[in-house]
Amino acid sequence: MRKKLVAGNWKMHGSLRQNAALLEQLKFGIAEVQCDVAVCVPYPFLAQVQSVLAGTQLLWGAQSVSEHESGAFTGEVSAAMLREFGCCYALVGHSERRSLFGESDALVAAKFVAAQKAGLVPILCLGESLVEREAGQTKAVVSRQLRAVIDVAGICGLMSAVVAYEPVWAIGTGVTASPAQAQEVHAAIRAQVGGLDGELATGLRILYGGSVKPQNAAELFKQADIDGGLIGGAALVAEDFLAICLAAN
Ligand code: PGA
């Protein structure tokens, strides 16, 4: 049985003050939650998150990571630095990074490897745009994005990694993929991995992301190949995020 994971993606939101209240509420509410729970926060908040969440069952991570170990890369943050702040996870290849910051499949693969090398668990985000879905290219796009990482990291790279399927048209739009639509892509991802390593595919956690809310979480998480969620907007409201975590119980 794969243990479910619910990861919050705060994106570029929050302040020390707001976070303090949100984290306290999460700490309080988490006792009833059985799945793994993490928050992926902006870099400047990592110290706060570390000091508030250390010793609790909540884990934390970053929203991106440099592909380089160290050096003259102004503005970048390395995986080893993230480890020093107790990060367990790093998102790689979020669709906003791909589309707004021009991250290619190759760059995402390099970031995946860099994260893993430093002991972080990469959460590899995959997903098609609306145009791609309407052109019937969903599985081809997701498969290409996944293959780019497997080509560089090897299939073993997926052993300590999480995959998140996030259809771009569902992110922040209020339009969620139906449970059946999501399940179909999740099954295809698992089959692709299974073609290379069956045991690994069985253990691989594949999260769904894109307008997950307390109202739709349970139905999504019930699907055979959906192992939790990557939550944006709803992760900023303690009540909603905790309700989604409980839906994964
Ligand atoms: P959303 O974002 O839940 O606000 O749609 C999900 C994500 O971008 O990870």
Side-chain angles (χ1 to χ4, degrees), residues 14-31:
S15 68
L16 291 173
R17 224 181 113 122
Q18 287 167 358
N19 305 343
L22 175 58
L23 292 169
E24 280 312 314
Q25 285 174 282
L26 293 184
K27 259 168 72 171
F28 182 75
I30 200 71

Side-chain angles (χ1 to χ4, degrees), residues 23-48:
L23 292 169
E24 280 312 314
Q25 285 174 282
L26 293 184
K27 259 168 72 171
F28 182 75
I30 200 71
E32 291 163 52
V33 173
Q34 285 156 22
C35 67
D36 289 336
V37 180
V39 287
C40 295
V41 306
Y43 297 134
F45 298 148
L46 284 171
Q48 179 188 28

Side-chain angles (χ1 to χ4, degrees), residues 88-104:
C88 175
Y89 298 105
L91 302 182
V92 295
H94 188 280
S95 73
E96 286 150 21
R97 301 296 318 170
R98 291 179 191 263
S99 69
L100 303 174
F101 301 97
E103 293 191 3
S104 63

